[in-house]
Amino acid sequence: MTKEIQLAEELIDFIHHSPTAFHAVENTARELEKNGFKKLDLTEAWTIEKGGKYYTTKSGTAIFAFQIGEDQPEETGIKFICAHSDSPGFKVKPQPEMIADGKYLKLNTEVYGGPILMSWLDRPLSLAGRVLLKSGNPLEPTHKIMDFRKPLVIIPSIAIHLNRAVNDGIELNKQKDMLPLVQSVNADLEKDNYLVKLLAKELQVNPDEIIDFDVFLYEWEKGCIIGPEKEFISSGKLDDLAMVHAGLKSLLATTDTKSTKMLCIFDNEEVGSVTKQGAGSPVLRNIIERIMEKLGKTKEELDRTIYKSFMISADMAHSIHPNQVDKHDPVLHPVINGGPVIKIHANQKYTTDGDSSAVFETICKMADVPVQKFVNRSDMVGGSTLGNVSTGKIDIRTVDIGNPMLGMHSVRELGGVKDHLYMIKAFETFYNL
């Protein structure tokens, strides 16, 4: 097995076991602890030292790992790689049970982010997330992460015989057309608290112990490597768990002990990042300030550290589409397996500028990795990412990059086997500078 295939398979496994942001953070924390990182609780006192490896989490869906270097941070700065744990999809609403025509039980859901709705139709789906249980302290309920890990529900499309214009284009209504079917109604069905009882059975607790839940739909089928040359990765949540995985692998592989390094995995990028665990919150600055205070640094040394630092904001990028070439810039055409993509936007939806682009291009050259560039067509509005949101809170030199992909925000996205290795090599080179 080649190195690139091995890493692609590891990525597919990581995604398969990370159906929600809760699981992505839990799995990331597990790998960090296996490699000597110590957990620090945000609510407790910290003790940190030079050469130490630590991590902390926020709200169960964001995680921040850092390795304290031997050098003074105000002299060498901090090397940041940032990504996000969330993906577009569907969250189950409270009291979600709905009966259709007295015949079928379905679940009431709400769209999270901007998924390609049609890609969710007619696929086996499962449920996963977090369940909150009663505890001895009303301010601190017990958190349980769960995953049914079996096909439970499906969102059926309507037959072409009942909508002859379906192939002419159809607008799917999020409240009407996108509700998942659970089961047929029968004499034994107890509709009230159906989901709570299902969750209780899975967790082996009494239903009365469940106070609330954060439960999401996800595609049940595992990703795979496809193509006669085994060059593509077909999987859900490549945006942005591919960058989470690449950042994690790179941090664990770093050999440099002089400079301080951080891996920051935020939540809620898909809905604007302005949450307590998102890039638009003060969480990163608070953690940096806390680290510096524990290292005995002054306010001026904190400021110097910030201005000596460099951040790679890693969120997936668009490849040229083989059937929709006209949707892209007429000149810049990133391609899958062509290497990492630097994302550029004149109006700063991406925070890249000439300076930060030059830095990342140099890193890729040092890593012997090809590099590409992306800009939108000038007459089209594109997306944004966490880079420009984060730098609005902490003004660090930043480049926005990502691996090229097709089908972004589909339940099943397409990326490149070689690109994952390329990105890991670039990240490792950056951390080892």
Side-chain angles (χ1 to χ4, degrees):
M1 182 184 293
T2 64
K3 180 69 171 178
E4 60 195 40
I5 292 293
Q6 178 186 341
L7 288 170
E9 293 285 7
E10 288 180 14
L11 170 61
I12 290 168
D13 286 340
F14 179 77
I15 292 174
H16 185 60
H17 291 98
S18 303
T20 72
F22 299 106
H23 296 83
V25 165
E26 183 178 62
N27 292 331
T28 300
R30 185 179 297 114
E31 289 302 310
L32 289 168
E33 291 187 359
K34 284 181 183 178
N35 287 271
F37 282 74
K38 178 184 177 182
K39 183 175 182 179
L40 300 175
D41 193 315
L42 287 174
T43 65
E44 297 178 359
W46 287 8
T47 299
I48 64 175
E49 57 188 22
K50 291 288 187 69
K53 299 191 290 186
Y54 310 94
Y55 78 93
T56 190
T57 62
K58 182 69 182 291
S59 304
T61 57
I63 186 166
F64 305 86
F66 48 97
Q67 182 172 325
I68 306 299
E70 298 165 359
D71 289 346
Q72 302 300 328
E74 66 270 21
E75 298 294 338
T76 57
I78 300 174
K79 298 183 179 75
F80 296 89
I81 294 176
C82 301
H84 64 89
S85 60
D86 61 320
S87 303
F90 296 84
K91 185 178 182 182
V92 179
K93 293 181 179 180
Q95 300 176 358
E97 298 83 4
M98 300 175 66
I99 300 295
D101 196 38
K103 303 294 192 300
Y104 295 114
L105 173 67
K106 57 185 181 179
L107 295 180
N108 195 10
T109 61
E110 184 173 9
V111 172
Y112 175 85
I116 299 176
L117 298 180
M118 65 180 181
S119 69
W120 287 77
L121 300 177
D122 303 319
R123 291 178 180 268
L125 305 173
S126 192
L127 299 168
R130 175 178 66 176
V131 180
L132 292 309
L133 306 175
K134 294 177 181 176
S135 73
N137 185 346
L139 294 178
E140 297 180 2
T142 300
H143 295 209
K144 292 288 186 180
I145 308 301
M146 56 75 56
D147 177 8
F148 283 105
R149 299 198 62 77
K150 59 185 176 183
L152 281 181
V153 301
I154 195 165
I155 305 173
S157 61
I158 190 166
I160 193 171
H161 313 80
L162 303 178
N163 182 6
R164 292 291 181 181
V166 66
N167 289 329
D168 299 327
I170 180 173
E171 182 179 354
L172 294 169
N173 184 285
K174 297 173 183 178
Q175 182 62 68
K176 178 181 177 183
D177 300 317
M178 301 307 298
L179 302 185
L181 170 66
V182 183
Q183 73 167 74
S184 301
V185 171
N186 56 51
D188 298 325
L189 176 67
E190 296 181 8
K191 170 184 172 291
D192 293 339
N193 290 324
Y194 175 91
L195 180 59
V196 167
K197 292 173 184 176
L198 206 63
L199 293 170
K201 183 178 179 181
E202 181 68 19
L203 292 173
Q204 298 182 333
V205 300
N206 190 303
D208 291 339
E209 292 297 304
I210 296 179
I211 305 171
D212 212 333
F213 53 81
D214 296 302
V215 172
F216 297 82
L217 304 185
Y218 73 93
E219 183 196 24
W220 175 70
E221 293 179 339
K222 188 177 181 180
C224 61
I225 295 174
I226 67 170
E229 302 298 325
K230 296 184 178 180
E231 58 183 315
F232 300 118
I233 302 171
S234 172
S235 175
K237 303 182 186 297
L238 290 174
D239 176 19
D240 193 33
L241 293 189
M243 296 297 94
V244 172
H245 185 258
L248 176 62
K249 294 290 290 186
S250 305
L251 180 64
L252 298 182
T254 184
T255 56
D256 172 75
T257 59
K258 293 184 177 181
S259 63
T260 297
K261 304 158 189 67
M262 286 193 72
L263 175 65
C264 309
I265 310 301
F266 296 99
D267 190 12
N268 304 126
E269 187 276 341
E270 299 293 356
V271 292
S273 294
V274 190
T275 63
K276 62 187 182 300
Q277 56 275 350
S281 77
V283 61
L284 178 56
R285 175 175 277 276
N286 289 345
I287 291 172
I288 295 170
E289 289 178 352
R290 196 165 180 180
I291 292 170
M292 296 296 286
E293 188 270 334
K294 292 300 177 182
L295 292 175
K297 302 300 181 181
T298 65
K299 173 64 168 62
E300 183 177 69
E301 287 168 330
L302 166 65
D303 291 340
R304 290 174 61 196
T305 298
I306 289 172
Y307 298 129
K308 279 279 190 178
S309 298
F310 192 87
M311 178 185 291
I312 297 177
S313 167
D315 198 1
M316 295 294 277
H318 298 294
S319 164
I320 188 79
H321 196 288
N323 301 330
Q324 300 283 345
V325 174
D326 60 319
K327 295 291 186 181
H328 298 264
D329 180 80
V331 176
L332 296 174
H333 288 177
V335 62
I336 290 177
N337 289 321
V341 177
I342 299 173
K343 301 190 287 187
I344 301 164
H345 191 268
N347 296 310
Q348 288 290 283
K349 283 194 172 182
Y350 303 129
T351 194
T352 305
D353 57 19
D355 170 70
S356 62
S357 178
V359 170
F360 190 73
E361 286 187 73
T362 303
I363 290 168
C364 288
K365 185 175 182 180
M366 293 173 64
D368 194 25
V369 165
V371 66
Q372 310 178 84
K373 292 185 177 180
F374 169 86
V375 295
N376 290 300
R377 278 181 59 110
S378 298
D379 55 358
M380 292 182 66
V381 177
S384 61
T385 184
L386 57 87
N388 63 334
V389 177
S390 179
T391 53
K393 295 295 179 181
I394 183 167
D395 50 333
I396 296 173
R397 295 164 67 205
T398 304
V399 63
D400 271 309
I401 58 93
N403 271 340
M405 63 179 293
L406 293 169
M408 187 180 289
H409 289 197
S410 172
V411 76
R412 193 84 174 192
E413 299 168 326
L414 191 72
V417 169
K418 289 183 179 179
D419 284 330
H420 197 54
L421 174 59
Y422 287 151
M423 190 63 80
I424 290 172
K425 289 175 66 177
F427 284 173
E428 285 183 9
T429 299
F430 171 61
Y431 273 148
N432 285 322
L433 287 175

